[in-house]
């Protein structure tokens, strides 16, 4: 069990650029989640996958955001045409089915300048 | 709507003193409740969870929490805090249909030596 791994840990980008974050869940965890956390706030749910299927998306996930989990293992979160309001920490989490512990990664910090 | 309220944004206690962090939830069904801890710039670590059964649950690092359905509360306690407990603490409820965690805004804990 190597934990949930996220890459990159930190990203600074200019407004209007695209960025992509990668998440590697705990091996054999079939559920994968993305959350966003801004300073002084709790994490907010963005989306969730069961295996390769994206089953739930928050209204926070505008059309500039897209998440994939093509083979049911790692996942990517892409933000197109970044805005300053996208600056946040993006957290990935995984679990082995409902009712089991949801484990979080260390997060990917995004700063849009 | 489902929500979690942590009334205390910031708490300061002396090392060795007891601690209680408050959490109130609003959720129509049987709640699955969690406490997570987050050190600065890091991801979230699960302290403990309540799904059913004994309403007093034990967690890691000497923490415990008590579920009180009549008060819609899930307060976190520790009899004697250590300087290493300084961190941000988040209470969360699992929304079963949407398969997502809803977090409170967090309580920042400062420890005085």
């Amino acid at each position: 069990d190597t934990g949930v791994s996220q890459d990159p840990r930190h990203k600074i980008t200019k407004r209007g650029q695209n960025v992509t974050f990668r998440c590697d869940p705990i091996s054999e965890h079939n559920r994968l989640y993305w959350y966003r956390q801004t300073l002084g706030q709790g994490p907010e749910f963005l989306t969730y996958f069961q295996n390769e299927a994206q089953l739930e998306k928050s209204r926070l996930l505008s059309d500039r955001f897209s998440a994939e989990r093509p083979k049911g293992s790692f996942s990517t979160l892409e933000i197109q045409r970044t805005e300053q309001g996208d600056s946040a920490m993006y957290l990935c989490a995984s679990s082995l089915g409902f009712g089991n512990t949801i484990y979080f990664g260390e997060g990917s910090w995004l700063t849009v300048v | 709507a489902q929500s979690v309220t942590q009334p205390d944004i910031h708490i300061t206690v002396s090392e060795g003193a007891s601690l209680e962090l408050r959490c109130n939830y609003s959720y129509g069904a049987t709640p699955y409740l969690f406490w997570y801890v987050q050190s600065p710039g890091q991801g979230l670590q699960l302290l403990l969870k309540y799904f059913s059964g004994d309403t007093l649950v034990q967690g890691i690092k000497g923490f415990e929490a008590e579920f009180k359905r009549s008060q819609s509360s899930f307060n976190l306690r520790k009899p004697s805090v250590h300087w290493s407990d300084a961190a941000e603490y988040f209470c969360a409820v699992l929304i079963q249909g949407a398969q997502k965690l809803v977090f409170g805004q967090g309580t920042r804990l400062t420890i005085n030596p």
Side-chain angles (χ1 to χ4, degrees), chain A residues 2-50:
Chain A
T2 58
V4 179
S5 177
Q6 293 189 243
D7 184 69
R9 292 291 318 280
H10 301 274
K11 179 72 176 180
I12 300 174
T13 191
K14 292 183 179 180
R15 188 175 53 186
Q17 298 293 305
N18 299 344
V19 296
T20 299
F21 299 111
R22 176 182 168 118
C23 171
D24 287 273
I26 293 172
S27 178
E28 297 181 357
H29 277 195
N30 59 346
R31 296 189 178 200
L32 186 147
Y33 311 80
W34 285 100
Y35 286 77
R36 182 172 69 186
Q37 184 179 21
T38 53
L39 282 174
Q41 300 297 317
E44 296 174 292
F45 172 82
L46 291 179
T47 190
Y48 129 78
F49 292 84
Q50 178 153 320

Short mmCIF file of all heavy atoms in Angstrom, two decimals, chain A residues 2-50:
data_model
loop_
_atom_site.label_atom_id
_atom_site.label_comp_id
_atom_site.label_asym_id
_atom_site.label_seq_id
_atom_site.Cartn_x
_atom_site.Cartn_y
_atom_site.Cartn_z
N THR A 2 0.98 1.88 -1.20
CA THR A 2 1.86 3.03 -1.28
C THR A 2 1.10 4.32 -1.10
O THR A 2 1.67 5.39 -1.22
CB THR A 2 2.59 3.03 -2.63
OG1 THR A 2 1.63 3.05 -3.68
CG2 THR A 2 3.48 1.81 -2.77
N GLY A 3 -0.19 4.29 -0.89
CA GLY A 3 -0.96 5.51 -0.71
C GLY A 3 -1.38 6.11 -2.01
O GLY A 3 -0.96 5.69 -3.10
N VAL A 4 -2.20 7.15 -1.93
CA VAL A 4 -2.65 7.87 -3.11
C VAL A 4 -1.56 8.85 -3.51
O VAL A 4 -1.09 9.64 -2.68
CB VAL A 4 -3.97 8.61 -2.83
CG1 VAL A 4 -4.42 9.39 -4.07
CG2 VAL A 4 -5.05 7.63 -2.39
N SER A 5 -1.17 8.80 -4.77
CA SER A 5 -0.07 9.63 -5.26
C SER A 5 -0.58 10.66 -6.24
O SER A 5 -1.38 10.35 -7.13
CB SER A 5 0.97 8.74 -5.93
OG SER A 5 2.02 9.50 -6.49
N GLN A 6 -0.14 11.91 -6.09
CA GLN A 6 -0.57 12.97 -6.99
C GLN A 6 0.64 13.70 -7.57
O GLN A 6 1.65 13.90 -6.91
CB GLN A 6 -1.46 13.98 -6.23
CG GLN A 6 -2.78 13.40 -5.79
CD GLN A 6 -3.71 14.46 -5.25
OE1 GLN A 6 -4.09 14.45 -4.08
NE2 GLN A 6 -4.11 15.38 -6.12
N ASP A 7 0.47 14.11 -8.84
CA ASP A 7 1.56 14.76 -9.53
C ASP A 7 1.03 15.79 -10.54
O ASP A 7 0.05 15.48 -11.23
CB ASP A 7 2.40 13.71 -10.28
CG ASP A 7 3.60 14.31 -10.96
OD1 ASP A 7 4.53 14.74 -10.25
OD2 ASP A 7 3.59 14.38 -12.20
N PRO A 8 1.61 16.98 -10.64
CA PRO A 8 2.66 17.49 -9.77
C PRO A 8 2.11 17.95 -8.43
O PRO A 8 0.90 18.10 -8.28
CB PRO A 8 3.19 18.70 -10.56
CG PRO A 8 1.98 19.21 -11.28
CD PRO A 8 1.18 17.96 -11.66
N ARG A 9 2.98 18.18 -7.47
CA ARG A 9 2.53 18.68 -6.18
C ARG A 9 2.25 20.17 -6.23
O ARG A 9 1.40 20.67 -5.49
CB ARG A 9 3.58 18.39 -5.10
CG ARG A 9 3.76 16.91 -4.78
CD ARG A 9 2.55 16.32 -4.06
NE ARG A 9 2.00 17.18 -3.03
CZ ARG A 9 2.52 17.29 -1.80
NH1 ARG A 9 3.58 16.59 -1.47
NH2 ARG A 9 1.96 18.08 -0.90
N HIS A 10 2.98 20.85 -7.07
CA HIS A 10 2.79 22.29 -7.19
C HIS A 10 2.86 22.68 -8.67
O HIS A 10 3.69 22.15 -9.41
CB HIS A 10 3.88 23.07 -6.43
CG HIS A 10 3.92 22.76 -4.99
ND1 HIS A 10 3.14 23.40 -4.06
CD2 HIS A 10 4.63 21.84 -4.29
CE1 HIS A 10 3.39 22.92 -2.86
NE2 HIS A 10 4.29 21.97 -2.98
N LYS A 11 1.98 23.60 -9.06
CA LYS A 11 1.97 24.07 -10.44
C LYS A 11 1.63 25.55 -10.45
O LYS A 11 0.61 25.95 -9.87
CB LYS A 11 0.94 23.29 -11.26
CG LYS A 11 0.83 23.71 -12.72
CD LYS A 11 2.02 23.27 -13.51
CE LYS A 11 1.84 23.61 -15.00
NZ LYS A 11 3.01 23.18 -15.80
N ILE A 12 2.49 26.34 -11.09
CA ILE A 12 2.20 27.76 -11.30
C ILE A 12 2.00 27.94 -12.80
O ILE A 12 2.85 27.53 -13.59
CB ILE A 12 3.33 28.66 -10.78
CG1 ILE A 12 3.53 28.45 -9.29
CG2 ILE A 12 3.02 30.13 -11.07
CD1 ILE A 12 4.73 29.19 -8.71
N THR A 13 0.89 28.53 -13.17
CA THR A 13 0.60 28.70 -14.58
C THR A 13 0.03 30.08 -14.84
O THR A 13 -0.50 30.74 -13.94
CB THR A 13 -0.39 27.62 -15.05
OG1 THR A 13 -0.46 27.64 -16.48
CG2 THR A 13 -1.79 27.87 -14.50
N LYS A 14 0.17 30.51 -16.07
CA LYS A 14 -0.40 31.80 -16.45
C LYS A 14 -1.87 31.62 -16.81
O LYS A 14 -2.28 30.58 -17.35
CB LYS A 14 0.37 32.39 -17.62
CG LYS A 14 1.79 32.80 -17.27
CD LYS A 14 2.47 33.44 -18.46
CE LYS A 14 3.88 33.89 -18.10
NZ LYS A 14 4.58 34.51 -19.26
N ARG A 15 -2.62 32.65 -16.53
CA ARG A 15 -4.05 32.63 -16.85
C ARG A 15 -4.24 32.32 -18.33
O ARG A 15 -3.54 32.85 -19.19
CB ARG A 15 -4.67 33.99 -16.52
CG ARG A 15 -6.17 34.06 -16.64
CD ARG A 15 -6.68 35.41 -16.18
NE ARG A 15 -5.99 36.50 -16.87
CZ ARG A 15 -6.15 37.78 -16.58
NH1 ARG A 15 -6.94 38.14 -15.59
NH2 ARG A 15 -5.52 38.70 -17.26
N GLY A 16 -5.15 31.42 -18.61
CA GLY A 16 -5.43 31.06 -19.98
C GLY A 16 -4.74 29.78 -20.44
O GLY A 16 -5.13 29.20 -21.47
N GLN A 17 -3.75 29.33 -19.68
CA GLN A 17 -3.06 28.09 -20.02
C GLN A 17 -3.86 26.88 -19.52
O GLN A 17 -4.72 26.99 -18.64
CB GLN A 17 -1.66 28.06 -19.40
CG GLN A 17 -0.75 29.17 -19.89
CD GLN A 17 -0.43 28.99 -21.37
OE1 GLN A 17 0.06 27.96 -21.79
NE2 GLN A 17 -0.71 30.02 -22.16
N ASN A 18 -3.55 25.73 -20.09
CA ASN A 18 -4.17 24.48 -19.65
C ASN A 18 -3.23 23.76 -18.69
O ASN A 18 -2.00 23.84 -18.84
CB ASN A 18 -4.44 23.57 -20.85
CG ASN A 18 -5.39 24.20 -21.86
OD1 ASN A 18 -6.09 25.17 -21.56
ND2 ASN A 18 -5.41 23.66 -23.05
N VAL A 19 -3.80 23.09 -17.71
CA VAL A 19 -3.00 22.30 -16.78
C VAL A 19 -3.65 20.93 -16.61
O VAL A 19 -4.88 20.79 -16.76
CB VAL A 19 -2.87 22.97 -15.39
CG1 VAL A 19 -2.11 24.26 -15.50
CG2 VAL A 19 -4.22 23.17 -14.74
N THR A 20 -2.82 19.95 -16.31
CA THR A 20 -3.32 18.59 -16.07
C THR A 20 -2.67 18.04 -14.82
O THR A 20 -1.46 18.15 -14.63
CB THR A 20 -3.00 17.67 -17.26
OG1 THR A 20 -3.64 18.17 -18.43
CG2 THR A 20 -3.50 16.26 -16.98
N PHE A 21 -3.49 17.45 -13.97
CA PHE A 21 -3.03 16.77 -12.76
C PHE A 21 -3.29 15.28 -12.89
O PHE A 21 -4.29 14.86 -13.45
CB PHE A 21 -3.76 17.31 -11.53
CG PHE A 21 -3.53 18.77 -11.29
CD1 PHE A 21 -4.56 19.69 -11.47
CD2 PHE A 21 -2.29 19.24 -10.91
CE1 PHE A 21 -4.36 21.03 -11.27
CE2 PHE A 21 -2.08 20.60 -10.70
CZ PHE A 21 -3.11 21.50 -10.89
N ARG A 22 -2.36 14.52 -12.32
CA ARG A 22 -2.51 13.06 -12.37
C ARG A 22 -2.67 12.52 -10.96
O ARG A 22 -2.08 13.03 -10.01
CB ARG A 22 -1.28 12.43 -13.01
CG ARG A 22 -1.31 10.90 -13.02
CD ARG A 22 -0.10 10.28 -13.61
NE ARG A 22 -0.04 8.84 -13.35
CZ ARG A 22 -0.04 7.93 -14.31
NH1 ARG A 22 -0.07 8.28 -15.59
NH2 ARG A 22 0.01 6.64 -14.00
N CYS A 23 -3.48 11.49 -10.84
CA CYS A 23 -3.68 10.81 -9.56
C CYS A 23 -3.54 9.31 -9.75
O CYS A 23 -4.19 8.72 -10.62
CB CYS A 23 -5.08 11.12 -9.00
SG CYS A 23 -5.52 10.15 -7.55
N ASP A 24 -2.72 8.70 -8.92
CA ASP A 24 -2.61 7.24 -8.88
C ASP A 24 -3.22 6.77 -7.56
O ASP A 24 -2.65 7.03 -6.49
CB ASP A 24 -1.15 6.80 -9.00
CG ASP A 24 -0.63 6.99 -10.41
OD1 ASP A 24 -0.81 6.07 -11.21
OD2 ASP A 24 -0.06 8.07 -10.70
N PRO A 25 -4.34 6.08 -7.61
CA PRO A 25 -5.01 5.66 -6.37
C PRO A 25 -4.27 4.47 -5.75
O PRO A 25 -3.33 3.92 -6.33
CB PRO A 25 -6.39 5.24 -6.86
CG PRO A 25 -6.13 4.73 -8.25
CD PRO A 25 -5.05 5.63 -8.80
N ILE A 26 -4.72 4.09 -4.59
CA ILE A 26 -4.22 2.88 -3.95
C ILE A 26 -4.60 1.70 -4.84
O ILE A 26 -5.74 1.63 -5.34
CB ILE A 26 -4.77 2.75 -2.54
CG1 ILE A 26 -4.20 3.88 -1.67
CG2 ILE A 26 -4.45 1.38 -1.95
CD1 ILE A 26 -4.81 3.97 -0.29
N SER A 27 -3.66 0.80 -5.02
CA SER A 27 -3.87 -0.33 -5.90
C SER A 27 -5.15 -1.08 -5.53
O SER A 27 -5.43 -1.32 -4.36
CB SER A 27 -2.67 -1.28 -5.79
OG SER A 27 -2.85 -2.40 -6.59
N GLU A 28 -5.93 -1.40 -6.54
CA GLU A 28 -7.18 -2.17 -6.42
C GLU A 28 -8.35 -1.38 -5.85
O GLU A 28 -9.44 -1.92 -5.71
CB GLU A 28 -6.98 -3.43 -5.58
CG GLU A 28 -5.99 -4.39 -6.21
CD GLU A 28 -5.80 -5.67 -5.41
OE1 GLU A 28 -6.40 -5.78 -4.32
OE2 GLU A 28 -5.06 -6.53 -5.89
N HIS A 29 -8.14 -0.10 -5.54
CA HIS A 29 -9.29 0.73 -5.14
C HIS A 29 -10.11 1.03 -6.38
O HIS A 29 -9.61 1.61 -7.34
CB HIS A 29 -8.82 2.02 -4.47
CG HIS A 29 -8.49 1.86 -3.04
ND1 HIS A 29 -8.34 2.93 -2.19
CD2 HIS A 29 -8.33 0.75 -2.28
CE1 HIS A 29 -8.08 2.49 -0.96
NE2 HIS A 29 -8.06 1.16 -1.01
N ASN A 30 -11.39 0.69 -6.33
CA ASN A 30 -12.20 0.91 -7.53
C ASN A 30 -12.84 2.29 -7.57
O ASN A 30 -13.31 2.71 -8.63
CB ASN A 30 -13.28 -0.18 -7.63
CG ASN A 30 -14.21 -0.21 -6.42
OD1 ASN A 30 -13.91 0.39 -5.38
ND2 ASN A 30 -15.32 -0.89 -6.56
N ARG A 31 -12.84 2.99 -6.45
CA ARG A 31 -13.45 4.32 -6.45
C ARG A 31 -12.37 5.39 -6.36
O ARG A 31 -11.43 5.27 -5.57
CB ARG A 31 -14.43 4.45 -5.29
CG ARG A 31 -15.59 3.50 -5.44
CD ARG A 31 -16.67 3.74 -4.44
NE ARG A 31 -17.79 2.82 -4.69
CZ ARG A 31 -19.00 3.02 -4.25
NH1 ARG A 31 -19.27 4.08 -3.53
NH2 ARG A 31 -19.95 2.15 -4.51
N LEU A 32 -12.54 6.43 -7.14
CA LEU A 32 -11.58 7.52 -7.16
C LEU A 32 -12.35 8.84 -7.17
O LEU A 32 -13.34 8.98 -7.89
CB LEU A 32 -10.67 7.42 -8.40
CG LEU A 32 -9.51 8.40 -8.50
CD1 LEU A 32 -8.32 7.75 -9.19
CD2 LEU A 32 -9.92 9.68 -9.20
N TYR A 33 -11.90 9.76 -6.35
CA TYR A 33 -12.60 11.04 -6.16
C TYR A 33 -11.65 12.20 -6.41
O TYR A 33 -10.45 12.11 -6.11
CB TYR A 33 -13.11 11.16 -4.72
CG TYR A 33 -13.86 9.97 -4.18
CD1 TYR A 33 -13.19 8.86 -3.71
CD2 TYR A 33 -15.25 9.97 -4.13
CE1 TYR A 33 -13.87 7.76 -3.21
CE2 TYR A 33 -15.94 8.89 -3.62
CZ TYR A 33 -15.24 7.78 -3.15
OH TYR A 33 -15.93 6.70 -2.65
N TRP A 34 -12.18 13.31 -6.87
CA TRP A 34 -11.46 14.57 -6.94
C TRP A 34 -12.20 15.60 -6.09
O TRP A 34 -13.44 15.74 -6.18
CB TRP A 34 -11.35 15.08 -8.37
CG TRP A 34 -10.36 14.36 -9.22
CD1 TRP A 34 -10.60 13.38 -10.14
CD2 TRP A 34 -8.94 14.58 -9.27
NE1 TRP A 34 -9.44 12.98 -10.74
CE2 TRP A 34 -8.41 13.69 -10.22
CE3 TRP A 34 -8.07 15.45 -8.59
CZ2 TRP A 34 -7.04 13.64 -10.52
CZ3 TRP A 34 -6.71 15.39 -8.88
CH2 TRP A 34 -6.22 14.50 -9.84
N TYR A 35 -11.42 16.33 -5.29
CA TYR A 35 -11.94 17.42 -4.48
C TYR A 35 -11.09 18.67 -4.73
O TYR A 35 -9.94 18.58 -5.14
CB TYR A 35 -11.87 17.09 -2.98
CG TYR A 35 -12.89 16.08 -2.52
CD1 TYR A 35 -12.73 14.73 -2.76
CD2 TYR A 35 -14.03 16.50 -1.82
CE1 TYR A 35 -13.68 13.81 -2.33
CE2 TYR A 35 -14.97 15.59 -1.38
CZ TYR A 35 -14.79 14.24 -1.64
OH TYR A 35 -15.73 13.34 -1.20
N ARG A 36 -11.68 19.82 -4.43
CA ARG A 36 -10.94 21.08 -4.51
C ARG A 36 -11.02 21.76 -3.15
O ARG A 36 -12.10 21.78 -2.52
CB ARG A 36 -11.54 22.00 -5.58
CG ARG A 36 -10.79 23.31 -5.75
CD ARG A 36 -11.31 24.08 -6.94
NE ARG A 36 -12.64 24.59 -6.74
CZ ARG A 36 -13.36 25.21 -7.69
NH1 ARG A 36 -12.84 25.35 -8.90
NH2 ARG A 36 -14.57 25.66 -7.42
N GLN A 37 -9.89 22.32 -2.74
CA GLN A 37 -9.85 23.01 -1.44
C GLN A 37 -9.18 24.37 -1.60
O GLN A 37 -8.06 24.46 -2.08
CB GLN A 37 -9.09 22.18 -0.41
CG GLN A 37 -9.09 22.77 0.98
CD GLN A 37 -8.35 21.91 1.99
OE1 GLN A 37 -7.52 21.09 1.62
NE2 GLN A 37 -8.66 22.10 3.26
N THR A 38 -9.89 25.41 -1.21
CA THR A 38 -9.31 26.75 -1.19
C THR A 38 -8.92 27.11 0.24
O THR A 38 -9.37 26.47 1.19
CB THR A 38 -10.30 27.78 -1.75
OG1 THR A 38 -11.55 27.67 -1.06
CG2 THR A 38 -10.53 27.56 -3.23
N LEU A 39 -8.09 28.12 0.36
CA LEU A 39 -7.56 28.49 1.68
C LEU A 39 -8.68 28.78 2.67
O LEU A 39 -9.62 29.52 2.37
CB LEU A 39 -6.65 29.70 1.55
CG LEU A 39 -5.24 29.44 1.02
CD1 LEU A 39 -4.49 30.74 0.82
CD2 LEU A 39 -4.48 28.51 1.94
N GLY A 40 -8.57 28.17 3.84
CA GLY A 40 -9.54 28.43 4.90
C GLY A 40 -10.85 27.70 4.76
O GLY A 40 -11.78 27.95 5.54
N GLN A 41 -10.95 26.82 3.79
CA GLN A 41 -12.18 26.09 3.56
C GLN A 41 -11.95 24.58 3.61
O GLN A 41 -10.82 24.11 3.43
CB GLN A 41 -12.78 26.46 2.21
CG GLN A 41 -13.11 27.93 2.07
CD GLN A 41 -14.18 28.38 3.04
OE1 GLN A 41 -15.17 27.70 3.26
NE2 GLN A 41 -13.97 29.54 3.65
N GLY A 42 -13.03 23.85 3.81
CA GLY A 42 -12.95 22.41 3.70
C GLY A 42 -12.96 22.00 2.23
O GLY A 42 -13.36 22.77 1.35
N PRO A 43 -12.52 20.78 1.96
CA PRO A 43 -12.56 20.29 0.58
C PRO A 43 -13.98 20.24 0.04
O PRO A 43 -14.92 19.95 0.78
CB PRO A 43 -11.97 18.88 0.69
CG PRO A 43 -11.17 18.89 1.95
CD PRO A 43 -11.90 19.81 2.88
N GLU A 44 -14.11 20.52 -1.27
CA GLU A 44 -15.41 20.44 -1.94
C GLU A 44 -15.35 19.38 -3.03
O GLU A 44 -14.39 19.33 -3.82
CB GLU A 44 -15.77 21.78 -2.57
CG GLU A 44 -15.96 22.91 -1.57
CD GLU A 44 -16.16 24.22 -2.28
OE1 GLU A 44 -15.20 24.72 -2.91
OE2 GLU A 44 -17.28 24.76 -2.22
N PHE A 45 -16.37 18.57 -3.09
CA PHE A 45 -16.43 17.46 -4.04
C PHE A 45 -16.52 17.99 -5.46
O PHE A 45 -17.27 18.92 -5.76
CB PHE A 45 -17.66 16.61 -3.72
CG PHE A 45 -17.97 15.55 -4.72
CD1 PHE A 45 -17.31 14.34 -4.69
CD2 PHE A 45 -18.93 15.75 -5.69
CE1 PHE A 45 -17.60 13.34 -5.60
CE2 PHE A 45 -19.24 14.77 -6.62
CZ PHE A 45 -18.56 13.55 -6.57
N LEU A 46 -15.72 17.37 -6.35
CA LEU A 46 -15.77 17.71 -7.77
C LEU A 46 -16.39 16.59 -8.60
O LEU A 46 -17.34 16.81 -9.35
CB LEU A 46 -14.37 18.01 -8.32
CG LEU A 46 -13.69 19.29 -7.82
CD1 LEU A 46 -12.31 19.41 -8.43
CD2 LEU A 46 -14.53 20.50 -8.14
N THR A 47 -15.83 15.38 -8.45
CA THR A 47 -16.30 14.28 -9.27
C THR A 47 -15.85 12.97 -8.68
O THR A 47 -14.96 12.93 -7.81
CB THR A 47 -15.82 14.43 -10.72
OG1 THR A 47 -16.48 13.45 -11.55
CG2 THR A 47 -14.31 14.20 -10.82
N TYR A 48 -16.47 11.87 -9.17
CA TYR A 48 -16.12 10.56 -8.63
C TYR A 48 -16.27 9.51 -9.72
O TYR A 48 -17.16 9.58 -10.58
CB TYR A 48 -16.98 10.30 -7.40
CG TYR A 48 -17.74 9.01 -7.32
CD1 TYR A 48 -17.11 7.82 -6.99
CD2 TYR A 48 -19.11 8.99 -7.52
CE1 TYR A 48 -17.82 6.64 -6.88
CE2 TYR A 48 -19.83 7.82 -7.41
CZ TYR A 48 -19.19 6.65 -7.09
OH TYR A 48 -19.91 5.50 -6.99
N PHE A 49 -15.36 8.54 -9.70
CA PHE A 49 -15.35 7.43 -10.64
C PHE A 49 -15.52 6.12 -9.88
O PHE A 49 -14.98 5.95 -8.79
CB PHE A 49 -13.99 7.34 -11.37
CG PHE A 49 -13.74 8.47 -12.32
CD1 PHE A 49 -13.21 9.67 -11.86
CD2 PHE A 49 -14.00 8.33 -13.68
CE1 PHE A 49 -12.95 10.71 -12.73
CE2 PHE A 49 -13.75 9.37 -14.55
CZ PHE A 49 -13.22 10.57 -14.08
N GLN A 50 -16.26 5.23 -10.50
CA GLN A 50 -16.22 3.84 -10.07
C GLN A 50 -15.65 3.07 -11.24
O GLN A 50 -16.25 3.01 -12.31
CB GLN A 50 -17.61 3.32 -9.71
CG GLN A 50 -17.56 1.85 -9.30
CD GLN A 50 -18.68 1.46 -8.37
OE1 GLN A 50 -19.05 2.20 -7.46
NE2 GLN A 50 -19.24 0.28 -8.59
#
